[in-house]
Coordinates of all heavy atoms in Angstrom, one line a residue:
G1 N 12.3 -62.1 -71.5 CA 12.5 -61.2 -72.6 C 12.8 -59.8 -72.3 O 12.9 -59.0 -73.2
K2 N 13.0 -59.5 -71.0 CA 13.3 -58.1 -70.6 C 14.6 -58.0 -69.9 O 15.1 -59.0 -69.3 CB 12.1 -57.5 -69.7 CG 10.8 -57.4 -70.5 CD 9.7 -56.8 -69.6 CE 8.4 -56.7 -70.3 NZ 7.4 -56.1 -69.4
E3 N 15.1 -56.8 -69.8 CA 16.4 -56.6 -69.1 C 16.1 -56.6 -67.6 O 15.0 -56.3 -67.1 CB 17.0 -55.2 -69.5 CG 17.4 -55.2 -70.9 CD 18.6 -56.1 -71.3 OE1 19.4 -56.3 -70.4 OE2 18.6 -56.6 -72.4
R4 N 17.2 -57.0 -66.8 CA 17.1 -56.9 -65.4 C 17.0 -55.5 -64.9 O 17.6 -54.6 -65.5 CB 18.3 -57.6 -64.8 CG 18.3 -59.1 -64.9 CD 19.6 -59.7 -64.4 NE 20.7 -59.4 -65.3 CZ 22.0 -59.7 -65.1 NH1 22.3 -60.4 -64.0 NH2 22.9 -59.4 -66.0
E5 N 16.2 -55.3 -63.8 CA 16.0 -54.0 -63.3 C 16.2 -53.9 -61.8 O 15.6 -54.8 -61.1 CB 14.6 -53.5 -63.7 CG 14.2 -52.1 -63.1 CD 12.8 -51.8 -63.3 OE1 11.9 -52.7 -63.4 OE2 12.5 -50.6 -63.5
V6 N 17.0 -53.0 -61.3 CA 17.1 -52.8 -59.9 C 15.9 -52.0 -59.4 O 15.8 -50.8 -59.8 CB 18.4 -52.1 -59.5 CG1 18.6 -52.0 -58.0 CG2 19.6 -52.9 -60.0
V7 N 15.1 -52.6 -58.6 CA 13.8 -51.9 -58.2 C 14.0 -51.1 -56.9 O 13.3 -50.1 -56.7 CB 12.7 -52.9 -58.1 CG1 12.4 -53.5 -59.4 CG2 12.9 -53.9 -57.0
A8 N 14.9 -51.5 -56.1 CA 15.1 -50.8 -54.8 C 16.5 -51.2 -54.2 O 16.9 -52.3 -54.4 CB 14.0 -51.1 -53.8
A9 N 17.1 -50.3 -53.5 CA 18.4 -50.6 -52.8 C 18.5 -49.8 -51.5 O 18.0 -48.6 -51.4 CB 19.5 -50.2 -53.8
I10 N 19.2 -50.3 -50.6 CA 19.4 -49.7 -49.3 C 20.8 -50.1 -48.7 O 21.2 -51.2 -48.8 CB 18.3 -50.0 -48.3 CG1 18.3 -49.1 -47.1 CG2 18.2 -51.4 -48.0 CD1 17.0 -49.2 -46.2
F11 N 21.4 -49.2 -47.9 CA 22.7 -49.5 -47.3 C 22.6 -49.9 -45.9 O 23.1 -50.9 -45.4 CB 23.7 -48.3 -47.5 CG 25.0 -48.5 -46.9 CD1 25.8 -49.6 -47.3 CD2 25.6 -47.6 -46.1 CE1 27.1 -49.8 -46.8 CE2 26.9 -47.8 -45.5 CZ 27.6 -48.9 -45.9
T12 N 22.0 -49.0 -45.1 CA 21.7 -49.3 -43.7 C 20.2 -49.1 -43.4 O 19.5 -48.5 -44.2 CB 22.5 -48.4 -42.7 OG1 22.1 -47.0 -42.8 CG2 24.0 -48.4 -43.1
A13 N 19.8 -49.5 -42.2 CA 18.4 -49.3 -41.8 C 18.0 -47.8 -41.7 O 16.8 -47.5 -41.9 CB 18.2 -49.9 -40.4
N14 N 19.0 -46.9 -41.5 CA 18.7 -45.5 -41.5 C 19.0 -44.8 -42.8 O 19.0 -43.5 -42.9 CB 19.5 -44.8 -40.3 CG 19.0 -45.3 -39.0 OD1 17.9 -45.6 -38.8 ND2 20.0 -45.5 -38.1
D15 N 19.4 -45.5 -43.8 CA 19.8 -44.9 -45.1 C 18.5 -44.5 -45.8 O 17.4 -45.1 -45.6 CB 20.6 -46.0 -45.9 CG 21.1 -45.4 -47.2 OD1 21.4 -44.2 -47.2 OD2 21.3 -46.2 -48.2
S16 N 18.7 -43.6 -46.7 CA 17.6 -43.2 -47.6 C 17.6 -44.1 -48.8 O 18.6 -44.1 -49.6 CB 17.8 -41.7 -48.1 OG 16.8 -41.3 -49.0
P17 N 16.6 -44.9 -49.0 CA 16.6 -45.9 -50.0 C 16.4 -45.3 -51.4 O 15.9 -44.2 -51.5 CB 15.5 -46.9 -49.6 CG 14.5 -46.0 -48.9 CD 15.4 -45.0 -48.1
G18 N 16.8 -46.1 -52.4 CA 16.6 -45.7 -53.8 C 15.6 -46.6 -54.4 O 15.5 -47.8 -54.2
Y19 N 14.7 -46.0 -55.3 CA 13.7 -46.8 -55.9 C 13.6 -46.5 -57.4 O 13.8 -45.3 -57.8 CB 12.3 -46.5 -55.4 CG 12.1 -46.9 -53.9 CD1 12.2 -45.9 -52.9 CD2 11.8 -48.2 -53.6 CE1 12.1 -46.3 -51.6 CE2 11.6 -48.5 -52.3 CZ 11.7 -47.6 -51.3 OH 11.6 -48.0 -49.9
A20 N 13.4 -47.5 -58.2 CA 13.1 -47.3 -59.6 C 11.8 -46.5 -59.8 O 10.9 -46.7 -59.0 CB 13.1 -48.6 -60.4
D21 N 11.7 -45.7 -60.8 CA 10.5 -45.0 -61.0 C 9.2 -45.9 -61.2 O 8.1 -45.5 -60.8 CB 10.6 -44.1 -62.2 CG 11.6 -42.9 -62.0 OD1 11.8 -42.5 -60.9 OD2 12.1 -42.4 -63.0
S22 N 9.5 -47.0 -61.7 CA 8.4 -48.0 -62.0 C 7.7 -48.5 -60.7 O 6.5 -48.9 -60.8 CB 8.8 -49.1 -62.8 OG 9.9 -49.8 -62.2
V23 N 8.4 -48.4 -59.5 CA 7.8 -48.9 -58.3 C 7.7 -47.9 -57.2 O 7.1 -48.2 -56.1 CB 8.6 -50.1 -57.8 CG1 8.8 -51.2 -58.9 CG2 10.0 -49.7 -57.3
K24 N 8.2 -46.7 -57.4 CA 8.2 -45.7 -56.4 C 6.7 -45.4 -56.0 O 5.8 -45.2 -56.8 CB 8.8 -44.4 -57.0 CG 9.1 -43.3 -55.9 CD 9.9 -42.2 -56.5 CE 11.3 -42.7 -56.9 NZ 12.2 -41.6 -57.4
G25 N 6.5 -45.4 -54.6 CA 5.2 -45.1 -54.1 C 4.4 -46.4 -53.8 O 3.4 -46.4 -53.1
R26 N 4.9 -47.5 -54.4 CA 4.2 -48.8 -54.2 C 5.0 -49.8 -53.4 O 4.5 -50.6 -52.7 CB 3.8 -49.4 -55.6 CG 2.9 -48.5 -56.4 CD 2.4 -49.2 -57.6 NE 3.5 -49.5 -58.5 CZ 3.8 -50.8 -58.9 NH1 3.1 -51.8 -58.4 NH2 4.8 -51.0 -59.7
F27 N 6.3 -49.8 -53.6 CA 7.2 -50.7 -53.0 C 8.0 -50.0 -51.9 O 8.4 -48.8 -52.0 CB 8.2 -51.3 -54.0 CG 7.6 -52.3 -55.0 CD1 6.2 -52.4 -55.1 CD2 8.4 -53.0 -55.8 CE1 5.7 -53.3 -56.1 CE2 7.9 -53.9 -56.8 CZ 6.5 -54.0 -56.9
T28 N 8.3 -50.7 -50.8 CA 9.1 -50.2 -49.7 C 10.2 -51.2 -49.4 O 9.9 -52.4 -49.0 CB 8.3 -49.9 -48.5 OG1 7.3 -48.9 -48.8 CG2 9.2 -49.3 -47.4
I29 N 11.5 -50.8 -49.4 CA 12.6 -51.7 -49.0 C 13.0 -51.3 -47.6 O 13.0 -50.1 -47.2 CB 13.7 -51.5 -50.0 CG1 14.8 -52.6 -49.6 CG2 14.3 -50.1 -50.0 CD1 15.9 -52.7 -50.6
S30 N 13.3 -52.3 -46.8 CA 13.8 -52.1 -45.4 C 14.9 -53.1 -45.1 O 15.0 -54.1 -45.7 CB 12.6 -52.1 -44.4 OG 12.0 -53.4 -44.4
R31 N 15.6 -52.8 -44.0 CA 16.7 -53.6 -43.6 C 16.9 -53.8 -42.1 O 16.6 -52.8 -41.4 CB 18.0 -53.0 -44.2 CG 19.2 -53.8 -44.0 CD 20.4 -53.3 -44.7 NE 21.6 -54.1 -44.5 CZ 22.8 -53.9 -45.1 NH1 22.9 -52.9 -46.0 NH2 23.8 -54.7 -44.8
D32 N 17.3 -54.9 -41.7 CA 17.6 -55.2 -40.3 C 19.1 -55.4 -40.2 O 19.7 -56.4 -40.6 CB 16.9 -56.5 -39.9 CG 17.1 -56.8 -38.4 OD1 18.0 -56.3 -37.8 OD2 16.2 -57.5 -37.8
N33 N 19.8 -54.4 -39.7 CA 21.2 -54.4 -39.6 C 21.8 -55.5 -38.7 O 22.9 -55.9 -38.9 CB 21.7 -53.0 -39.1 CG 21.5 -51.9 -40.0 OD1 21.5 -52.1 -41.3 ND2 21.4 -50.7 -39.5
A34 N 21.0 -55.9 -37.7 CA 21.5 -56.9 -36.7 C 21.7 -58.2 -37.4 O 22.6 -59.0 -36.9 CB 20.6 -57.0 -35.5
K35 N 20.9 -58.6 -38.3 CA 21.0 -59.9 -38.9 C 21.2 -59.9 -40.4 O 20.9 -60.9 -41.1 CB 19.8 -60.8 -38.5 CG 18.4 -60.1 -38.9 CD 17.3 -61.0 -38.4 CE 15.9 -60.4 -38.6 NZ 14.9 -61.3 -38.1
I36 N 21.5 -58.8 -41.0 CA 21.8 -58.6 -42.4 C 20.6 -59.2 -43.2 O 20.8 -60.1 -44.1 CB 23.1 -59.3 -42.9 CG1 24.2 -59.0 -41.9 CG2 23.5 -58.8 -44.3 CD1 25.6 -59.6 -42.2
S37 N 19.5 -58.7 -42.9 CA 18.3 -59.1 -43.6 C 17.7 -57.9 -44.4 O 17.8 -56.7 -43.9 CB 17.2 -59.6 -42.7 OG 17.7 -60.8 -42.0
V38 N 17.0 -58.1 -45.5 CA 16.4 -57.1 -46.3 C 15.0 -57.5 -46.7 O 14.8 -58.7 -47.0 CB 17.3 -56.7 -47.5 CG1 17.5 -57.9 -48.5 CG2 16.7 -55.5 -48.2
Y39 N 14.1 -56.6 -46.8 CA 12.7 -56.9 -47.1 C 12.2 -56.0 -48.2 O 12.7 -54.9 -48.4 CB 11.8 -56.7 -45.8 CG 12.4 -57.4 -44.6 CD1 13.3 -56.8 -43.7 CD2 12.1 -58.8 -44.4 CE1 13.8 -57.4 -42.6 CE2 12.6 -59.4 -43.3 CZ 13.4 -58.7 -42.4 OH 14.0 -59.4 -41.3
L40 N 11.2 -56.5 -48.9 CA 10.5 -55.7 -49.9 C 9.0 -55.8 -49.7 O 8.5 -56.9 -50.0 CB 11.0 -56.1 -51.3 CG 10.4 -55.2 -52.4 CD1 11.1 -53.9 -52.4 CD2 10.7 -55.9 -53.8
Q41 N 8.4 -54.8 -49.3 CA 7.0 -54.7 -49.1 C 6.4 -54.2 -50.4 O 6.7 -53.0 -50.8 CB 6.5 -53.9 -47.9 CG 5.0 -53.8 -47.7 CD 4.4 -55.1 -47.4 OE1 4.9 -55.8 -46.4 NE2 3.4 -55.5 -48.1
M42 N 5.6 -55.0 -51.1 CA 5.0 -54.6 -52.4 C 3.5 -54.5 -52.2 O 2.8 -55.4 -51.7 CB 5.3 -55.6 -53.4 CG 6.8 -55.9 -53.6 SD 7.2 -57.1 -54.9 CE 6.5 -58.6 -54.2
S43 N 3.0 -53.4 -52.7 CA 1.5 -53.1 -52.6 C 1.1 -52.6 -53.9 O 1.9 -52.2 -54.8 CB 1.2 -52.1 -51.5 OG 1.8 -50.9 -51.7
S44 N -0.2 -52.5 -54.1 CA -0.8 -52.1 -55.4 C -0.2 -52.7 -56.6 O 0.2 -52.1 -57.6 CB -0.7 -50.5 -55.5 OG -1.4 -49.9 -54.4
L45 N 0.0 -54.0 -56.5 CA 0.7 -54.8 -57.5 C 0.0 -54.7 -58.9 O -1.2 -54.7 -58.9 CB 0.9 -56.2 -57.1 CG 2.0 -56.4 -56.0 CD1 1.9 -57.8 -55.4 CD2 3.4 -56.2 -56.7
K46 N 0.8 -54.7 -59.9 CA 0.3 -54.6 -61.3 C 0.8 -55.8 -62.1 O 1.8 -56.4 -61.7 CB 0.7 -53.3 -62.0 CG 0.4 -52.0 -61.2 CD 1.0 -50.8 -61.9 CE 0.7 -49.6 -61.2 NZ 1.3 -48.4 -61.9
P47 N 0.1 -56.2 -63.1 CA 0.6 -57.3 -63.9 C 2.0 -57.1 -64.5 O 2.7 -58.1 -64.6 CB -0.4 -57.4 -65.1 CG -1.7 -56.8 -64.5 CD -1.3 -55.7 -63.6
E48 N 2.4 -55.9 -64.7 CA 3.7 -55.6 -65.2 C 4.8 -55.8 -64.1 O 6.0 -55.8 -64.4 CB 3.8 -54.2 -65.8 CG 3.3 -53.1 -64.9 CD 1.9 -52.7 -65.2 OE1 1.1 -53.6 -65.5 OE2 1.6 -51.5 -65.2

């Protein structure tokens, strides 16, 4: 029932990532350039 939301994005492993205000300070996005992998570490999770 809700719109899609981009919570985090990154270009390279050394790039400055972007975060939605709703997750800033709680989520961390990272990337492995060697194998084109991306990760999202989520902490202090909320029901929302």
